[in-house]
Amino acid sequence: MLWPNILDNARLVERERERQRLEQEINIARDIQQALLPRDFREYPHLSVTGFNLPCLAVGGDYFDVFPLSDGRTAFLIADVSGKGLGAAILTTMLQGALSGMTLGIDPASVFNHVNRFLCDHSEVGRYATMFFGTLDQDGHLEFINAGHPSPILIRRGVAEEAFTEGSYPVGLVPEAEYTAVCLKLEPGDTLVLFSDGVTEAMDPDEQMFGITRLKELLTGQLECPLELLQKCVLEAVENFARGAHQADDLTLLIVRFRATAAAATTDIDVPDSASSSSSASAAASAASKPVSVPSAFAASG
């Protein structure tokens, strides 16, 4: 009897059509998400910047952005939404839209408080996000909010330190959370390395994590290393460490260097004076002169 075979074939054809439709929609979502990331970083008078994003699935929950504000400052941020896939990607797009509205002069703390209350009021969304957001002016005044994100690494005179541990809860997690900005002064040449946990929690085949200590050791001594080379160094180190092991997290980097020509002023961060030693300078010169190829696994950058 042929009827069962005909019905089975019809079901298979319908499933394949549905699979193709979903794949097409995911590809569209991926293209939209990638298009929202900055690609050609414009020149700013007071900072240099580069960034990279690699989702572990077709779409991801990480993103970064850099944009000028109306008062001459430049804003930069990195975010990591809980979970993966389409749900996380949708929330990253919503957060990006909310924060881009700051170009109109909205106070960062007010935006964070509003987004947090909105997500908590709509708890059925079931998502939260860690974020680090900063604004930098031409004199090196940095104002930042850390919403539960790993502290960026500050490279100053060759020493790499976690200098931004002050912060609050991720947005969308605690309804009563209140966000306030913290201010500090950067010196010319200071470099901030912002990253998602896809960097420090990258695992090798033995399920050992790359870790923050290894990242700081890698960045120590990078005094005048060009940002693109510095980014390649980090990506290559993570790829070599992982040795082909499957990674479960999106990987995102954003590197910002304050490049004002004015004399360095006093700073609010206590950094060891040993950072200016000749050994650090020579290590940086060696790293800057060493050619580094783009890791094959990380060939597509944001």
Side-chain angles (χ1 to χ4, degrees):
M1 188 169 180
L2 298 178
W3 284 110
N5 290 335
I6 293 174
L7 291 174
D8 288 343
N9 289 339
R11 292 191 188 100
L12 290 174
V13 169
E14 183 60 28
R15 288 174 185 169
E16 177 61 19
R17 287 176 177 170
E18 180 66 14
R19 187 195 65 79
Q20 292 178 358
R21 185 185 66 80
L22 291 174
E23 183 177 342
Q24 183 180 25
E25 290 183 356
I26 289 174
N27 288 337
I28 292 172
R30 179 198 61 212
D31 293 343
I32 292 173
Q33 187 176 45
Q34 289 298 311
L36 290 174
L37 294 174
R39 290 185 175 274
D40 299 322
F41 294 102
R42 54 169 287 183
E43 288 293 318
Y44 295 93
H46 57 298
L47 61 85
S48 301
V49 61
T50 188
F52 175 91
N53 169 260
L54 179 71
C56 66
L57 301 177
V59 290
D62 284 4
Y63 87 97
F64 65 91
D65 206 353
V66 182
F67 51 90
L69 300 178
S70 58
D71 57 3
R73 295 179 299 162
T74 302
F76 58 91
L77 68 114
I78 188 170
D80 184 355
V81 173
S82 62
K84 303 173 186 65
L86 283 174
I90 291 170
L91 187 53
T92 63
T93 303
M94 188 207 78
L95 292 173
Q96 191 173 34
L99 291 169
S100 66
M102 288 181 50
T103 57
L104 303 176
I106 304 173
D107 174 60
S110 298
V111 174
F112 272 66
N113 288 329
H114 172 74
V115 170
N116 180 66
R117 286 191 295 269
F118 177 85
L119 291 179
C120 290
D121 288 344
H122 298 79
S123 57
E124 65 274 8
V125 173
R127 305 269 180 176
Y128 61 88
T130 67
M131 303 178 65
F132 184 94
F133 178 90
T135 63
L136 183 63
D137 69 13
Q138 297 188 26
D139 295 321
H141 296 106
L142 174 66
E143 186 176 10
F144 71 90
I145 296 175
N146 189 350
H149 200 79
S151 169
I153 303 297
L154 169 67
I155 308 174
R156 172 172 291 167
R157 299 191 295 274
V159 170
E161 296 291 346
E162 297 171 84
F164 304 90
T165 54
E166 291 186 60
S168 186
Y169 297 101
V171 292
L173 192 62
V174 179
E176 299 81 14
E178 291 291 330
Y179 299 87
T180 57
V182 180
C183 299
L184 57 85
K185 187 74 162 25
L186 295 184
E187 299 177 0
D190 281 354
T191 302
L192 307 180
V193 180
L194 292 76
F195 58 92
S196 67
D197 56 13
V199 174
T200 52
E201 295 183 7
M203 289 196 174
D204 67 7
D206 299 322
E207 298 188 349
Q208 299 296 313
M209 290 196 301
F210 186 78
I212 190 67
T213 299
R214 189 175 278 103
L215 180 60
K216 289 197 294 185
E217 290 174 351
L218 175 69
L219 297 174
T220 295
Q222 305 290 359
L223 193 60
E224 296 292 341
C225 183
L227 297 192
E228 292 78 8
L229 179 58
L230 189 60
Q231 177 175 278
K232 290 178 183 178
C233 286
V234 175
L235 296 176
E236 185 180 60
V238 173
E239 183 189 38
N240 291 340
F241 175 82
R243 304 198 307 275
H246 173 72
Q247 301 303 311
D249 275 319
D250 304 328
L251 185 152
T252 303
L253 278 173
L254 179 63
I255 306 178
V256 178
R257 175 172 292 160
F258 176 52
R259 64 180 190 186
T261 56
T266 57
T267 178
D268 296 332
I269 300 178
D270 188 14
V271 178
D273 292 336
S274 60
S276 58
S277 67
S278 60
S279 60
S280 294
S282 62
S286 175
S289 63
K290 180 181 177 182
V292 180
S293 60
V294 178
S296 58
F298 303 136
S301 64

